[in-house]
Amino acid sequence: MNSLAATGLARTRRWLSGHPLAADTLLSGLVLCLVVVGAFLAPRAERHPPGALFLLLSAAACGALVFRRRAPRTVLGATCALTVVAVVLTRGDGPPRTTIAMSAAVALYTLAVRSERPAALRTVVTTVTALTGVVMLLGAPPWYAQENFGLMAWTGLAGAAGDAVRSRRAFVAAIEERAVRAERTREEEARRRVAEERLRIARELHDVVAHHIALVNVQAGVASHIMDSRPEQAKEALAHVREAGRSALAELRATVGLLRQYGDPAAPTEPAPGLGDLGRLVEGFVRVGLSVDVMAVPAPPGAPGGATGPAVGAVGAGPDAAAAAVGALPGAVDLTAYRVLQEALTNVHKHAGPGARAEVTLRRGPYALELTVVDDGGKRPGAVEPPAQRGPEAGGHGLLGMRERAVALGGSCAAGPRGPGTPGFRVCAVLPLPGPGAPAPRVSA
């Protein structure tokens, strides 16, 4: 029951925050009720009940509170003037009618909340002093009546409450701004450290490898030049090549070992994954509810790594058959293709839900391998509704990692919605294949 009440109060508060005019109208009605009830419950009110003039002036003063956000100073002046008029005109009609000053107290609170502290302090002191003094001088005697001191106390408390609320809001805003600034600074510091670490690693690897690779290149050139005329010297140059390669591997292993921290897992000894493991990858996603169709367009006859017989059409018998149809790939291209497909299918499962269907197409050309992963957005019955955003702005580093892997090989990767009116997401990566005269790869639209 308490949680239901809290939920209802929160919903009401949000609605009032979104409709300030309605909130001020309700507030003015509540203040009018308090003014009228206080006037009828005041001492000696049974012998001198408030008249129609007092009620009319009270309604006008409280009605001015509807505009307290738009013109706070004007509303404060109007409520104070109406308070003085009501007290003066009802001077001979029983005790001082100071309950109408509730409207001036609300207006003073509003102005104190919306002003800086020095201006708010001057306004509160001036208003409390002037309003109390005028009521004491022109109101019903005696001037030291408890109603007059009550007016001074309530207006002063309203001004103090307004200043306290303004200070608290400023404090909360400063804390939020400080937190945002700290988060931004932390992210910038992390990016700076990553860039410095990359530069340090690159410099270290260059210092370790560059000398030995240059030596290998020179000695290999010498061996190639004198292989036929002076085979003994060629053998000696090749021995230097072997020794330089061994030294480079030893120093590279030591450098990479320094990059590891204590307790890091040992380096994996199993072969790096590739398209030959596509079947197991697809099977893992199928077990968690994602439907995956794989097809391949094999390499044209005579292409590097492709078939030598007549051309065949698309192969859709399964991931293993599709990987076999693509043919042998260089190690770096094979690993990158596997990682791109793995990340793309992971995004489909994560964002489109287990009810989605994904289509994987492997297309090998003479000089490039094109990978395309398309999903249907998971719109079938029982599917989980995908988030509104699945681009880079939705957060995460998966798409960025796919692009970096493709760019590292000289290729490219594009990801985005399939198109207007078509649900789902599309990822397309182009990885260049080594070969003479290979053009720069480009992702198809």
Side-chain angles (χ1 to χ4, degrees):
M1 185 66 182
N2 292 334
S3 61
L4 293 177
T7 303
L9 289 176
R11 187 182 298 111
T12 302
R13 183 177 300 174
R14 286 195 301 269
W15 187 89
L16 292 176
S17 299
H19 301 80
L21 184 60
D24 290 341
T25 303
L26 292 176
L27 177 63
S28 65
L30 177 62
V31 173
L32 178 60
C33 292
L34 294 177
V35 169
V36 174
V37 172
F40 278 98
L41 295 181
R44 296 175 291 169
E46 62 278 359
R47 289 181 297 170
H48 302 280
L53 178 61
F54 175 80
L55 297 178
L56 181 62
L57 293 174
S58 299
C62 295
L65 296 178
V66 175
F67 308 99
R68 68 188 184 97
R69 299 176 195 257
R70 301 181 183 178
R73 295 185 181 276
T74 303
V75 171
L76 176 61
T79 53
C80 290
L82 290 171
T83 298
V84 172
V85 171
V87 170
V88 172
L89 294 182
T90 59
R91 178 176 181 177
D93 188 18
R97 308 291 186 183
T98 57
T99 55
I100 190 177
M102 288 185 184
S103 59
V106 174
L108 186 60
Y109 165 84
T110 303
L111 187 60
V113 167
R114 292 172 170 265
S115 303
E116 296 295 332
R117 168 163 285 182
L121 182 61
R122 290 194 298 268
T123 303
V124 170
V125 172
T126 302
T127 302
V128 172
T129 303
L131 185 61
T132 305
V134 171
V135 170
M136 286 181 175
L137 291 176
L138 302 180
W143 65 268
Y144 52 83
Q146 61 180 1
E147 290 85 357
N148 296 336
F149 287 101
L151 182 149
M152 181 175 62
W154 282 109
T155 51
L157 285 176
D163 180 71
V165 171
R166 182 203 56 78
S167 300
R168 182 182 179 278
R169 290 178 181 176
F171 177 72
V172 172
I175 291 179
E176 292 177 350
E177 182 183 0
R178 192 179 305 126
V180 171
R181 192 185 311 115
E183 182 67 21
R184 187 184 305 113
T185 303
R186 184 161 52 249
E187 292 177 355
E188 293 176 353
E189 179 67 16
R191 285 194 295 267
R192 185 186 63 81
R193 290 185 178 182
V194 169
E196 291 179 353
E197 185 67 12
R198 286 181 176 178
L199 182 60
R200 187 186 69 82
I201 293 173
R203 187 185 303 114
E204 188 74 16
L205 292 177
H206 177 270
D207 294 341
V208 170
V209 177
H211 168 71
H212 294 289
I213 295 301
L215 182 60
V216 166
N217 184 51
V218 171
Q219 294 292 343
V222 171
S224 175
H225 181 69
I226 64 175
M227 179 65 70
D228 296 331
S229 59
R230 288 173 285 179
E232 293 299 327
Q233 292 185 9
K235 290 181 181 180
E236 184 179 351
L238 292 176
H240 287 301
V241 169
R242 183 173 62 253
E243 183 63 26
R246 185 182 298 111
S247 299
L249 288 176
E251 294 189 19
L252 185 61
R253 186 180 299 109
T255 303
V256 174
L258 291 176
L259 297 178
R260 294 184 178 274
Q261 297 181 356
Y262 178 77
D264 285 349
T269 57
E270 66 274 7
L275 291 185
D277 302 308
L278 185 58
R280 285 186 296 174
L281 177 66
V282 171
E283 182 182 356
F285 284 104
V286 170
R287 281 199 302 266
V288 296
L290 179 63
S291 178
V292 182
D293 296 329
V294 183
M295 65 178 58
V297 179
T308 57
V312 294
V315 177
D320 293 333
V326 169
L329 295 171
V333 176
D334 202 20
L335 174 61
T336 300
Y338 178 87
R339 294 303 186 194
V340 169
L341 294 179
Q342 182 183 42
E343 181 63 32
L345 292 176
T346 300
N347 287 339
V348 174
H349 173 65
K350 182 190 303 181
H351 297 290
R357 176 181 297 275
E359 296 180 0
V360 178
T361 303
L362 312 177
R363 181 178 290 104
R364 177 166 184 166
Y367 304 109
L369 173 67
E370 182 176 347
L371 311 172
T372 305
V373 180
V374 178
D375 67 82
D376 60 358
K379 292 297 185 179
R380 297 199 308 281
V384 179
E385 183 68 16
Q389 291 185 346
R390 288 171 60 188
E393 65 274 7
H397 304 281
L399 297 180
L400 179 61
M402 288 192 293
R403 289 195 179 97
E404 289 181 348
R405 286 181 178 274
V407 171
L409 296 179
S412 55
C413 180
R418 296 178 64 178
T422 303
F425 207 70
R426 180 176 184 267
V427 175
C428 183
V430 176
L431 307 178
L433 299 175
R442 301 182 68 177
V443 177
S444 58

